[in-house]
Amino acid sequence: MKAIQPTINHHIPTTRGLPRPIRSQHELLFDTHRSLKTPNPATRLAQSLTHMLHLQIESIHTQKTITQSNFSSILEDKSNTPISSPKEDISDIWQELHGSNDWDTLLDPLHPSLKQELLKYGEFAQATYDAFDFDHYSEYCGSCKYNRNKLFEKLGLTRHGYNVTKYIYATSQIDLPQWLEKSQVAETWSMHSNWMGYIGVSDDEESKRIGRRDIVVAWRGTVSASEWYEDFQRNLERFGHGDAKVEEGFLSIYTTKLQSSRYNKTSASEQVMKELARLIHLYKKRGEKVSLTITGHSLGGALALLNAYEAAATFANLPVNVISFAAPRVGNSGFRDELHELGVKTLRVVVKQDIVPWTPGMVFNEKLINEKLQNFDEITGGLEWVYTHAGVELKLDARSSPYLKRGLQLLGHHMLETYLHLLDGYESSKVPFRKDARRDIALVNKECDMLINEFRIPPRWYQAANKGLVQNAHGRWVKPKRDPEDIPSPNNESVSYNEMKHVLGY
Amino acid sequence: MKAIQPTINHHIPTTRGLPRPIRSQHELLFDTHRSLKTPNPATRLAQSLTHMLHLQIESIHTQKTITQSNFSSILEDKSNTPISSPKEDISDIWQELHGSNDWDTLLDPLHPSLKQELLKYGEFAQATYDAFDFDHYSEYCGSCKYNRNKLFEKLGLTRHGYNVTKYIYATSQIDLPQWLEKSQVAETWSMHSNWMGYIGVSDDEESKRIGRRDIVVAWRGTVSASEWYEDFQRNLERFGHGDAKVEEGFLSIYTTKLQSSRYNKTSASEQVMKELARLIHLYKKRGEKVSLTITGHSLGGALALLNAYEAAATFANLPVNVISFAAPRVGNSGFRDELHELGVKTLRVVVKQDIVPWTPGMVFNEKLINEKLQNFDEITGGLEWVYTHAGVELKLDARSSPYLKRGLQLLGHHMLETYLHLLDGYESSKVPFRKDARRDIALVNKECDMLINEFRIPPRWYQAANKGLVQNAHGRWVKPKRDPEDIPSPNNESVSYNEMKHVLGY
């Protein structure tokens, strides 16, 4: 039987050899389920664009395969080793690792202790996805599945030696379609807010190892690359008192408060800044050295930068470090310059093949191409000056890992777990992926389909048994009530006085 | 932003108002994930065809909704009742329920005890799906996940009072694409065979209740409607010694043996017939009344009919009853007549909106339409005489249930769980879906998306936690080894002498 070849009925003028049919960005990113053996028009377009933008994406046909025989031994070795190396005392060099010298000489080759720290913060950012309730049939959709005292235990992150002190919620005053995860159930925990991250602090033992009390803020990104990627092509808004301007969508999520809401009577910014003030005051009073590390992936990386700007402007002499993964551009050159003047140290971890760090400013959605732009210089050149990246870049190459599928993987190249895998295997730009990389490779496939088939790890495997349904006493499959202690409550989101001693080492 | 409307570039000549664009049957059936709000060409075509064929499919826009308020009370009631009614003694009427009078006067209204029996056999057929290993990354893909002693316990079916005595494996000598579920792993349990069903027998207590020792054979169908539906448009082959002819694909699965294989040195037919001979001999020798009930869904219903024909021709005076769900046509009128002469009693449960029972013989795949047929009379009329249904039909209407989504649900209307739900609620063709239907409604969504949203039951929820991955002692996510007692073994597929006493009541 002849294969049916769909054609697309929207065409754009042929300019500079650009393939003619074009599809929406959303379709592009979610095409990962399809076979890529025969490039469809969307794939061809994306390939052409990425070529133009010097994104290094190989054809799927050039994939080097791992043979079954040598693969079995790799698999055997991997599954019988711990998932991380022993921790080392970094109390003497924490300032350098925290960016005091802009990571000069630490990135290529990558300092092993810096790598461990980056993986730690990356896992803190990943926790915001892993614990998020994406179930649209749940009345708690958009909240964290666990209360903050359980979060790290549930996700296997207690080994990092941090405690969560507060959850952050956000809303937005401007209409950002598909930003907010909303329950389809009428009587929901919140109509307006989503869990957007958390604040944590290193415990005594970890503080000793890392040479200071470290406060971490982890910001959640959006589920998929495409959502805000399409939507956040908006105006710049003034931020602070100088020339700094930032993208209005990011700013709205960071600063919107809504009196009618339960979780955002204060904005995400106010929630974070209040908790930071409390924690900094607490530990400074005790004479401790304190640092602030803000992390986030994708949209979360953008929010981290806004948060860092505000914190550095508010708390004098506080070392502020942003570790972002796959973050988009956030603001103009004024914003970049002020961040620099405020002493914010930003390390942006970026995968070469990921398109998101090119946004906003690198726009190739259908509407803009059709209506506004006649050639791509206007995209790559024309908008570049508006949005500017801040800080130092650590660039990773998806092709370096022998365990990843090749070819166009728009979603897979953007996922944080892919970033962490590549970071784990990275030693320098000159040597191959390290053989003794210890992080669990199976994690890469949590939410995408990036591992080569030899691993036998199913794609998108991170899921609850029976999508959370359980059998009740009558044998019926029902959605269980959430454990009362995990039900969000606007009055129970930060550490109480009674908990202080235990959680904060007070 | 304007929605992109894909068009399809294969057209067929416009005849009798048939919409022009056409897509493959596969695409049609798997379109259930898409929104059906704006009918696409495939949907419009299917609607037109189903209209012509008098399949009663409503537009999605006419769905009657259940309001949230009265819904909550329904949900509450349902979740606090047992999932089945108390069993009744049917030892006096078992022959009528088994079809001795062709279910005359028992179907409309449906006799409550017959309904209970039909649900029992339906659940036996459903077990062949629920226990099947569909995981292409598993070396045991295509086998049963559990050994036969555990099967009913694992699936919550011990309450029916049957024990499994043998597993059935099948292969095929003719190339039937997408029939066999194959592992992607090199060192697999079997390259050629799939688990295709099982033989069970009623225990002493159940035998007393139902008035005889009942041997059940349950045949598995294929995963999806489309696979064999597209593929089985082949020739008729002679079956038996008379005029009976049956579809060659079904026959091949039933009769192929392969000396080079481990599980099909004997054919499915030979495996079943040998076990039946053993069991019948055993119980007849003890002076017990014995019956044979063969069940199956979809392809499984076709195999059930072949099996019934052979069993009735082999074992004189054995009451043979086929309970099929969503079964296609199997053979010619000669086959039908011989089944009748052999005394095989067939009850075909059919959902009005399901297209599969119209196949083969009702063919509307692209190739045939393009190459062979110029108008639809040739489909509905011309091929009807070739393939003929046997037995008595019990017709169910998907529109009768207030809990099901309306509109075109090609997969959903075919799934066995949908059938069992509709059967449970059916009283007669004249009264509405019964309010006190007790079967768990959530089961409908196991593998499809048929329940109205008010139920808050996620679509396609039947799945293992983390797709079967578990964390090992090092914290790594790995695919666990299958429990050794559940690993298929060609030497361990039927009841051993030692087990006999326990399992067979010997």
Side-chain angles (χ1 to χ4, degrees), chain A residues 4-5 7 9 24 78-79 81-82 137 185 187 230 438 440 456 459 461 463 466-467 472 476-477, chain B residues 1 4-5 7 9 24 78-79 81-82 137 185 187 438 440 456 459 461 463-464 466-467 472 476-477:
Chain A
I4 292 184
Q5 179 79 31
T7 63
N9 67 0
S24 79
K78 291 271 180 222
S79 66
T81 53
Y137 291 87
V185 179
E187 60 282 21
E230 263 186 69
R438 289 192 159 188
D440 187 6
R456 303 182 197 172
W461 59 262
Q463 54 180 29
N466 299 317
K467 297 197 178 175
N472 72 11
R476 294 183 182 275
W477 290 94
Chain B
M1 193 162 66
I4 293 184
Q5 179 80 30
T7 62
N9 66 0
S24 79
K78 290 270 179 224
S79 67
T81 53
Y137 291 87
V185 179
E187 60 283 20
R438 289 192 157 187
D440 187 6
R456 303 181 197 172
W461 58 262
Q463 54 179 30
N466 299 316
K467 297 196 178 175
N472 71 11
R476 293 183 182 275
W477 290 94

Side-chain angles (χ1 to χ4, degrees), chain A residues 79-94:
Chain A
S79 66
N80 290 317
T81 53
I83 52 171
S84 58
S85 313
K87 289 179 185 177
E88 283 166 15
D89 189 304
I90 56 166
S91 55
D92 288 344
I93 53 167
W94 79 263

